[in-house]
């Protein structure tokens, strides 16, 4: 009888047995660090093929990530990146390396331009913890041997960090973008050393 009474109340105009929850719009943040200045490439600079950036374990979601004091992972319920982090990293890293002057071109896998070097990247961290943001990825630089297996030119594990200035999701997203830019700078320096070139 009680169930029937509840169903009857639910059908009455303006009456609901379900609690009302306010709608919270999900906020989406860009992840696109830009190199401060663009440098011209040397005349003999090689072309680089940047393969699709792979997401590491647990890095395939869009939600902003943070690490609690006890070491557990927290995902922001109403804040996410505008694109999957690995895709955003790939796009911004391609632009960053093109602006570094180390390469004549930085191409995508679908490009028909021959590339003598290949860069494989895996995003392994992008999160905040204790007032700091951090970003990390692993990378392999391979000399393309065509039909023959390529030769490893370098293996890198750049990491970046930046302070979180302020409170809330926007401050966290801005800090993670800055940490990613810091990691890009580290990778650029290591690539320059591997190629025998050092750029500012």
């Amino acid at each position: 009888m009680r169930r029937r009474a509840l169903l009857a109340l639910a059908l009455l105009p303006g009456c609901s047995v379900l609690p009302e929850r306010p709608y919270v719009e999900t906020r989406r943040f860009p992840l696109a660090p830009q190199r401060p200045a663009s440098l011209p490439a040397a005349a003999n600079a090689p072309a680089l093929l940047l393969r699709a950036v792979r997401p590491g374990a647990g890095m395939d979601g869009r939600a902003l990530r943070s690490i609690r004091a006890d070491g557990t992972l927290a995902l922001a319920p109403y804040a996410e990146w505008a694109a999957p982090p690995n895709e955003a990293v790939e796009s911004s890293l391609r632009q960053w390396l093109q602006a570094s002057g180390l390469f004549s071109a930085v191409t995508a896998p679908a490009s028909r331009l021959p590339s003598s070097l290949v860069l494989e990247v895996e995003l392994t961290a992008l999160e905040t913890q204790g007032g700091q943001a951090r970003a990390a990825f692993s990378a392999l630089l391979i000399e393309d041997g065509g039909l023959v297996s390529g030769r490893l030119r370098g293996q890198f594990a750049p990491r970046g960090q930046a302070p979180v200035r302020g409170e809330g999701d926007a401050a966290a997203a801005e800090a993670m973008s800055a940490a990613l830019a810091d990691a890009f700078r580290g990778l650029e320096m290591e690539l320059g050393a591997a190629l025998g070139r050092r750029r500012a």
Side-chain angles (χ1 to χ4, degrees):
M1 291 295 294
R2 183 179 180 184
R3 182 180 178 184
R4 290 181 181 176
L6 289 174
L7 289 174
L9 287 173
L11 295 175
L12 291 176
C15 185
S16 174
V17 294
L18 299 176
E20 292 186 4
R21 294 183 180 179
Y23 171 73
V24 179
E25 183 178 2
T26 298
R27 300 183 67 188
R28 294 178 175 86
F29 299 94
L31 180 62
Q34 302 289 324
R35 196 179 190 281
S38 180
L39 299 175
N44 61 343
L48 175 72
L49 168 61
L50 175 61
R51 289 185 176 158
V53 173
R54 301 183 304 275
M59 296 300 302
D60 52 353
R62 294 193 186 194
L64 270 60
R65 298 159 47 99
S66 61
I67 305 299
R68 302 184 183 96
D70 62 0
T72 58
L73 174 67
L75 301 178
Y78 301 110
E80 62 183 29
W81 299 111
N86 61 302
E87 295 181 12
V89 167
E90 180 183 341
S91 177
S92 53
L93 180 58
R94 181 174 289 109
Q95 296 177 36
W96 185 288
L97 293 178
Q98 182 64 68
S100 71
L102 293 173
F103 306 101
S104 60
V106 182
T107 66
S111 175
R112 299 173 67 178
L113 178 70
S115 303
S116 58
L117 295 171
V118 176
L119 188 65
E120 297 181 351
V121 175
E122 180 179 5
L123 178 65
T124 55
L126 185 63
E127 61 226 4
T128 59
Q129 181 178 19
Q132 289 284 322
R134 62 185 183 187
F137 49 88
S138 60
L140 294 176
L141 180 64
I142 303 168
E143 188 172 343
D144 189 7
L147 297 177
V148 183
S149 59
R151 180 171 70 91
L152 181 66
R153 291 286 299 271
Q155 184 170 359
F156 319 107
R159 297 177 178 273
Q161 62 180 12
V164 179
R165 305 184 186 279
E167 301 289 336
D169 296 325
E174 183 178 359
M176 282 186 272
S177 292
L180 186 60
D182 191 32
F184 283 178
R185 282 190 289 270
L187 177 62
E188 180 183 337
M189 292 179 61
E190 292 184 288
L191 288 174
L195 297 173
R197 296 183 174 89
R198 297 187 180 276
R199 306 301 297 263

